[in-house]
Amino acid sequence: MTVSALEFTQELSTNPKSASERATILANPGFGDYFTDHTAVIDWKAAEGGDAQWQNARIEPYGPISIDPAAGVLHYGQEIFEGLKVYRHADGSVVSFRPEANAARLNLSARRLALPELPEELFLESIRQLVALDKDWIPDGDGAALYLRPFMIATEAFLGVRPAREVSYRVIASPAGNYFGGELKPVSIWLSTKYARAGRGGTGEAKCGGNYAASLIAQMEGEANGCKQVLFLDEFNDNAVEELGGMNVFFVFKDGRLVTPSLSGTILHGITRSSVLRLGRDRGMDVQERKITLDEWRDGVASGEITEVFACGTAAVITPVGQLKSETEVIGSADAKPGEVTMSIREQLLGIQNGTVEDTHGWLTRLA
C-alpha cells in the first residue's frame, strides 16, 4: 500500500489552546503532562476469512476515545506503542530522529501481539500530518522536544480469545522537557530481586503496555527506596543484567570497552541503544553486546574496571547511573559524578538530534 492510496482527511479542533495558554505550558512542560490539539488516526478492519486493509486515515481533534466495553484491548491487552521525539532546528526546520526505526519496531511488536503491521510510509505520513498541524507545540530549551506516542489498540467488541479483526492506530503528541528534571546528576537504580519484567518466549522485546504494567510494582518499590528506576535480572541465567523498567543499560570499562546486554528476546530493541552502539564504534571503542552479570557489575565497580554506568532511552536520552541499590547491598558511590564517556556520547547524540552536530548516519528525517 502506498501513501497515495490512502489520503488523510482533516477535522481541525474547534477549541485549540490559545497562543498564551500554549506558551505557559511550554515554559514548563514536564513529561507527558500536556497534549497538543490534534491526533492522527488510521483504522484497520478484516472481514472474516477475507481481505484486511488500513482505511479512513484522518487527523481529528485530540480527545477521549469511544470504544465498546467488550473491545479486545480491555480484556486481552492486545496493544502496542512507540515513542519518538521531534525537534526544531535553528533554521526553523522540524525533524525527527530515526522514525524509520520506530516504524520497524512497531511492526516487530505488532507481529508478537498478533496485530496488523502498518506500512512504514503510513507511519511516517501519520507523524508528518500531525506535526505539520501542531508544530507550534515544540518547546525550546535543553533536552526539550515534542514527544510523539504512536500506538495501536484492538477495538473489536468480542470476548472470544483470538486476534481482533478491528484495530485503531493513533498518534498523540506531548511537549516534553528534561525527563528527570533539573540538573543532570547520576541517578540511583533499584535492583528488583522479587519481580521479573519478562520471560523467555514472552513479550520482552515487544513494546507493549503489559511489560510496563509488570514493572510498576518494582518501580514503586524502587521509589520507596529513593531510586528513579528499577533494574531487572535474569535469575535463570547467572543473574544476567537485562534492562531497566523503561531504559537500556551500558557499562564503560577502564580499558575502553563499551558493553551492553545482548538482545535475547527479553530485552527491548532500544533505538537510542543502537545509536549509542554506532557512536561508540565510530569512536574506535571496543563495543560489545554480551551477557553481563550482577557479579561482574559488582566486582568491576569494586576493582575500578567498570568506570561508568549509564542508562539510555528515547525519553531521557542518556542518564548517568550512580548507584545500584537492593535490600542487601549498594554498588557504586553516592558521590558519583557523570562520567566523561557518558557525557561525551550524550552531548554528541543530543547535538545530532538538535542539529548542532553533523548527522553522518542520516538519522534525521525532516517533517516540516
Side-chain angles (χ1 to χ4, degrees):
M1 177 185 295
T2 63
V3 172
S4 60
L6 191 59
E7 297 293 337
F8 280 74
T9 60
Q10 288 191 353
E11 178 191 349
L12 301 186
S13 173
T14 58
N15 189 33
K17 290 287 191 296
S18 68
S20 61
E21 288 176 310
R22 190 170 59 243
T24 300
I25 291 170
L26 295 184
N28 185 25
F31 187 88
D33 296 327
Y34 304 97
F35 300 93
T36 68
D37 297 310
H38 298 92
T39 180
V41 188
I42 314 177
D43 299 325
W44 181 86
K45 189 170 184 177
E48 188 170 356
D51 294 335
Q53 61 180 345
W54 289 101
Q55 56 191 352
N56 195 20
R58 61 197 185 276
I59 298 293
E60 62 185 31
Y62 180 91
I65 300 173
S66 177
I67 58 173
D68 194 285
V73 65
L74 301 177
H75 301 273
Y76 306 119
Q78 201 182 7
E79 66 82 41
I80 56 175
F81 67 95
E82 272 301 318
L84 67 158
K85 287 181 175 178
V86 172
Y87 308 84
R88 191 191 309 280
H89 284 183
D91 63 0
S93 62
V94 174
V95 304
S96 59
F97 181 73
R98 304 190 65 186
E100 299 85 358
N102 291 97
R105 190 172 64 182
L106 182 82
N107 283 333
L108 182 151
S109 300
R111 290 190 291 272
R112 182 62 185 85
L113 272 294
L115 287 161
E117 294 185 41
L118 180 74
E120 178 182 304
E121 60 267 29
L122 286 180
F123 180 94
L124 295 176
E125 186 64 12
S126 69
I127 65 175
R128 282 195 188 96
Q129 292 272 342
L130 180 59
V131 170
L133 274 178
D134 287 349
K135 60 181 180 292
D136 289 342
W137 281 89
I138 303 173
D140 297 320
D142 181 42
L146 183 65
Y147 181 82
L148 303 185
R149 173 53 63 86
F151 63 99
M152 192 184 297
I153 59 174
T155 54
E156 183 188 2
F158 72 103
L159 296 180
V161 182
R162 59 164 173 77
R165 299 191 185 107
E166 295 178 14
V167 167
S168 178
Y169 162 79
R170 293 171 176 263
V171 188
I172 57 177
S174 174
N178 190 313
Y179 187 71
F180 288 120
E183 180 185 352
L184 184 68
K185 298 179 181 178
V187 297
S188 295
I189 303 299
W190 181 252
L191 174 61
S192 176
T193 56
K194 299 177 183 176
Y195 306 106
R197 173 187 166 275
R200 297 297 174 93
T203 59
E205 69 177 4
K207 198 167 178 66
C208 62
N211 293 341
Y212 294 81
S215 75
L216 294 179
I217 188 169
Q219 180 77 23
M220 291 170 62
E221 187 177 76
E223 290 174 356
N225 286 275
C227 296
K228 294 286 191 180
Q229 277 278 337
V230 61
L231 176 84
F232 295 96
L233 304 174
D234 183 350
E235 65 173 320
F236 303 108
N237 187 25
D238 303 320
N239 278 331
V241 174
E242 295 228 300
E243 67 173 283
L244 277 61
M247 306 172 75
N248 297 110
V249 63
F250 276 83
F251 301 85
V252 180
F253 283 72
K254 183 171 64 176
D255 60 9
R257 284 176 290 159
L258 181 64
V259 179
T260 194
S262 53
L263 299 176
S264 59
T266 58
I267 295 175
L268 187 69
H269 293 230
I271 294 167
T272 307
R273 174 189 181 276
S274 68
S275 304
V276 170
L277 291 171
R278 179 69 266 171
L279 295 179
R281 294 187 182 102
D282 291 348
R283 293 162 176 249
M285 300 181 74
D286 179 6
V287 175
Q288 299 178 3
E289 298 177 75
R290 63 170 175 83
K291 181 170 84 172
I292 182 165
T293 65
L294 179 62
D295 286 343
E296 184 178 3
W297 187 342
R298 180 188 302 110
D299 295 344
V301 170
S303 68
E305 285 298 308
I306 294 177
T307 57
E308 303 175 35
V309 183
F310 65 85
C312 69
T314 297
V317 189
I318 291 177
T319 299
V321 174
Q323 291 184 310
L324 178 68
K325 298 181 178 181
S326 74
E327 293 150 326
T328 59
E329 68 177 324
V330 176
I331 299 173
S333 170
D335 299 323
K337 299 291 189 287
E340 181 179 341
V341 174
T342 299
M343 295 306 292
S344 178
I345 293 177
R346 182 178 190 273
E347 289 167 8
Q348 183 181 7
L349 186 57
L350 283 172
I352 293 169
Q353 292 172 341
N354 292 319
T356 58
V357 172
E358 184 182 2
D359 173 24
T360 59
H361 297 291
W363 284 341
L364 299 179
T365 296
R366 182 163 182 165
L367 300 179

